[in-house]
Amino acid sequence: MAAAFTRSRSLLRWSIGSGSILGNNYNASSSSSFRAVAVRQQQQTRSNHVYTLPDLDYDYADLEPYISAEIMRLHHTKHHQTYVTNFNKALEQLQSATDPQAIVALQSALNFNGGGHVNHSIFWKNLAPPKEGGGEAPVGKLASAIDEQFGSFDRLIAKVNAEGASVQGSGWVWLGLNKDLKTLAVATTANQDPLVSKGLVPLLGVDVWEHAYYLQVRTVFLSSLIAMYIMNH
Amino acid sequence: MSKETLELHWGKHHRGYVDKLNKQIANTDFERYNLEDLINVSYNNGNPQPIFNNAAQVWNHDFFWDTLRPHGGKEPSGQVLDRITKQFGSYDAFVEDFKHAATTLFGSGWVWLSLKKDTELVVEKSLNAINPLVWDHIPLLSLDIWEHAYYLDFQNERGAYINMFFDNLINWEAVENRLNRAKGFIGLGDIIIPSVESIQEREKRSYYV
């Protein structure tokens, strides 16, 4: 079902390019070429899904004064968009690559840009404007799990601060779930490595790349910043 | 490169590394080391000890500031240009290589033009705090690719930052001096003993004399 959908999507893209299906010049010859393309697409083993930048659930300015609109706009429309664009490019190259060496060489680009897309998509969902409840302490099962494991919500913030500040260079600090042990854990990943690479399910992520805070905080006041991020969750 | 960037980059980031390193080595054996030895020892063959990050970043930034100068940039001349042309084909080819390395560096790091001990010139990139000293290369020039180095001035436009570096900031004289000093360590030709005056000048700023 998914394959059929994908096939028709990619057919649609091809046909938009050639203008022969949706346009008014649908005739016998173009229908046979349409069929030829249909056969060729069927033979492809991968879908050509194109990833897109997800919209935010709020406006750029809604997280102020904690995170400036300028940072949000840059972070979303430039950094995240670049990851998405380059991820699509790398996937395209992967599709047409037949040489094993070329395929393996693409892995770092896929890992970096795909990870960047995944991580930032999670990140935008983690944040909420103060007027919609962002910044309030967690409640319910999550709150009790936090209290059980870390002692208190404040202790968790302190731990996230410490781990985030210890990240060398660029990376992320996470609150994750170990599904096997059923425990929470604070972990860090380097560059754009996704948390799944550490075997944890991401619950909350904080981007500690410098681009995430540099325009606003100017220097590495990481601890206050991470507190702001968590408060915005 | 704006005043604000320099004030932050030198005044907060670089100073931060220095302060943190001093705290880390206080009352330990490491106090007796000079900076380059500290870097090599703490790199620990790829399994860096905690002081490595601060030690290497102190050195990296010292080196970087000396690589820059006001109204710098443009092409080098003399033996630097000769060596670059011999190694890369042309100055433009070298710039292409360097720009490619700088734009394809994922995350934080540095890009270097270094001299290997077999006299080959290489463009190389390193992640986070790593520098060519740990590979036993002799760095000649560097560009800081950490986001803090360009974010205020260029935001995400790393390419524009790199172009600006080549057009306006490189201190080719410093590169030449480093090349001359390297002759004391590898067989590049006759050793040139720098004049007494320039040794004193350098001693005022440098760790490694």
Side-chain angles (χ1 to χ4, degrees), chain A residues 20-230:
Chain A
S20 65
I21 305 298
L22 296 184
N24 297 325
N25 43 354
Y26 180 58
N27 54 35
S29 66
S30 64
S31 77
S32 58
S33 52
F34 178 91
R35 257 199 300 282
V37 170
V39 170
R40 194 166 64 232
Q41 296 289 8
Q42 228 169 348
Q43 287 165 347
Q44 275 185 328
T45 51
R46 268 191 59 89
S47 75
N48 12 354
H49 181 74
V50 171
Y51 295 90
T52 55
L53 184 69
D55 286 330
L56 303 182
D57 295 334
Y58 37 81
D59 291 333
Y60 291 130
D62 281 350
L63 301 184
E64 292 199 347
Y66 303 106
I67 308 180
S68 70
E70 188 191 9
I71 288 191
M72 289 302 294
R73 188 188 310 275
L74 265 169
H75 205 173
H76 184 242
T77 61
K78 292 275 178 337
H79 290 275
H80 190 176
Q81 179 65 71
T82 304
Y83 292 128
V84 170
T85 310
N86 290 342
F87 188 45
N88 286 329
K89 254 194 243 161
L91 282 171
E92 250 184 71
Q93 290 175 328
L94 183 68
Q95 265 198 70
S96 52
T98 47
D99 171 31
Q101 213 164 359
I103 294 176
V104 171
L106 283 170
Q107 294 313 307
S108 74
L110 286 170
N111 190 54
F112 181 69
N113 293 298
H117 174 47
V118 164
N119 292 340
H120 285 86
S121 302
I122 297 173
F123 187 52
W124 306 132
K125 292 287 179 196
N126 279 161
L127 303 174
K131 64 175 187 264
E132 287 172 34
E136 290 165 10
V139 294
K141 277 209 256 175
L142 180 61
S144 40
I146 288 176
D147 286 342
E148 215 182 287
Q149 288 223 241
F150 299 101
S152 69
F153 181 50
D154 285 336
R155 284 269 205 70
L156 171 65
I157 293 184
K159 188 155 170 65
V160 170
N161 282 347
E163 295 285 329
S166 74
V167 168
Q168 315 280 34
S170 308
W172 291 72
V173 56
W174 305 89
L175 175 65
L177 174 69
N178 183 326
K179 285 216 300 216
D180 297 325
L181 299 178
K182 303 263 193 303
T183 53
L184 296 174
V186 172
T188 58
T189 52
N191 294 341
Q192 293 297 353
D193 295 348
L195 189 61
V196 71
S197 63
K198 296 229 165 152
L200 297 171
V201 175
L203 300 177
L204 177 71
V206 184
D207 187 351
V208 292
W209 279 64
E210 286 169 332
H211 67 233
Y213 56 86
Y214 208 71
L215 291 183
Q216 188 162 0
V217 181
R218 285 334 203 221
T219 59
V220 194
F221 289 155
L222 223 34
S223 39
S224 50
L225 189 75
I226 293 180
M228 283 183 210
Y229 279 151
I230 295 215

Side-chain angles (χ1 to χ4, degrees), chain B residues 26 35 38 78 102 123 133 143 151-152 165 176 179:
Chain B
L35 190 59
L38 201 57
V123 167
L133 294 179
L143 180 59
Y151 212 73
L152 290 182
F165 172 70
E176 174 136 13
L179 194 57

Side-chain angles (χ1 to χ4, degrees), chain B residues 151-183:
Chain B
Y151 212 73
L152 290 182
D153 298 333
F154 295 98
Q155 288 81 61
N156 64 314
E157 303 282 333
R158 196 191 276 183
Y161 165 63
I162 302 165
N163 288 338
M164 180 276 298
F165 172 70
F166 276 103
D167 290 341
N168 302 104
L169 288 182
I170 298 187
N171 181 356
W172 288 113
E173 201 188 310
V175 177
E176 174 136 13
N177 287 338
R178 290 162 182 162
L179 194 57
N180 283 330
R181 186 175 169 272
K183 292 176 184 175

